[in-house]
Amino acid sequence: MSYTTQIKNEIIQQEETKSELIAMLSALVRNNGYIEDDILFLTTENPEIKNKIAYSFEKVYDIPIQIKIKDNLNFSKKVLYLLCVEQKLSFILNDLGFYDENQQYIETPPEYITGSNEEIRAYLRGVFLTQGSINDPKTSRYHMELLISKASEAVFIQKLLNMFDLNAKILNRDKGYMIYIKEAEKISDFLKIIGAIKAVLYFENIRIYHDKKNHTNRLNNCEQANIDKVVEAATHQLNNVKILEEKLAIELLDDKTKEAVEYRKKYPEASLKELSEIISVETGNRITKSGLNHRFRKINELASRLTE
């Protein structure tokens, strides 16, 4: 079962008031329904959603819903359920804000459909049930989308989402409009808004794991970069020591600088800080990283002059 299906199966379990059911049905009809021969049709591959739709119409409007099984033209192995609403159709379409009193399509739902915060959440649940998907954070990048056919409806849904500060955006597609959210935190907030609490816990656990993994990788990369710098610096110092040896110039150095040469050759992979601590311990004469760096600067300058 996909992550999206798990989310949908979770949110349809919620107990809703009559006004919330109307808001959800309004979203379903506006984004999934079509009318032929005075019959409203809605389709779904999900048997749980099918049951939720039938239950909602029966509870709100006290009418039976006829359910048929239709051939799935998208080559899916899943059964396609066709829900048919025939009774009280004009009243229902008016009540759901689909048609006005003249039986003309309304571009955006009337204010009473999404008049409260809970009704907005219910409307968004309805949209997600029929047109939504969220990538499984374990297997893919963070991405939530809603595929909407009408421009006015897409703008309306984007407005509802952004009332919750979700930073939802719209892209024009060949067959409609895609409303999407890519920020992990905002997707998690959306799941909370539609009441998918189990899905939120799963999503947050994966997100925390990814964040810790990325943090560890950044630390490892930083550590590797520091190691590379230490190796590069030590190699440069040893090359300069080799130049002095080949030119028989070691004796031009003072005793403290000769000591630095000796310890660099003895500990070729140590950083300056580590080397200064080793010298301090083994000789009993404390030397700082800065002081040791000053000695190697003398070696580098002499090697440079000899090379020129």
Side-chain angles (χ1 to χ4, degrees), residues 50-167:
K50 171 207 60 170
N51 294 337
K52 178 70 172 182
I53 295 172
Y55 163 82
S56 300
F57 272 109
E58 290 170 6
K59 183 173 182 180
V60 176
Y61 298 110
D62 192 26
I63 59 169
I65 299 297
Q66 185 179 0
I67 301 174
K68 301 178 181 179
I69 296 177
K70 187 178 179 182
D71 291 336
N72 208 332
L73 300 179
N74 63 1
F75 304 105
S76 171
K77 293 182 181 180
K78 296 180 181 179
V79 170
L80 185 66
Y81 298 100
L82 186 66
L83 294 94
C84 311
V85 182
E86 298 183 60
Q87 298 182 29
K88 303 181 183 178
L89 186 58
S90 294
F91 171 78
I92 290 172
L93 293 177
N94 291 147
D95 197 48
L96 295 180
F98 189 83
Y99 279 166
D100 61 17
E101 63 275 8
N102 298 317
Q103 304 304 302
Q104 298 297 311
Y105 175 72
I106 303 174
E107 290 292 328
T108 57
E111 288 186 8
Y112 70 83
I113 295 292
T114 54
S116 72
N117 195 47
E118 291 308 314
E119 289 165 357
I120 292 172
R121 292 170 187 264
Y123 193 91
L124 292 175
R125 279 197 293 275
V127 175
F128 186 79
L129 284 174
T130 184
Q131 300 296 343
S133 66
I134 295 179
N135 289 353
D136 188 334
K138 185 182 290 185
T139 60
S140 186
R141 293 177 297 177
Y142 301 122
H143 181 80
M144 186 279 280
E145 67 179 42
L146 304 167
L147 297 176
I148 310 301
S149 59
K150 298 182 179 67
S152 57
E153 179 72 7
V155 172
F156 175 72
I157 293 169
Q158 181 194 32
K159 179 182 177 182
L160 294 184
L161 290 168
N162 288 339
M163 287 174 63
F164 296 97
D165 193 30
L166 295 180
N167 194 28

Side-chain angles (χ1 to χ4, degrees), residues 235-276:
T235 300
H236 180 62
Q237 291 160 3
L238 286 169
N239 286 340
N240 286 331
V241 168
K242 185 177 180 181
I243 291 172
L244 297 188
E245 290 175 337
E246 290 175 349
K247 301 291 186 179
L248 304 177
I250 292 293
E251 293 304 319
L252 297 176
L253 302 174
D254 59 70
D255 290 342
K256 290 184 178 180
T257 306
K258 287 179 183 178
E259 182 180 69
V261 169
E262 177 188 347
Y263 275 92
R264 171 48 77 201
K265 291 172 69 176
K266 189 176 179 180
Y267 301 98
E269 296 180 356
S271 67
L272 274 182
K273 185 175 184 300
E274 292 168 339
L275 199 60
S276 66

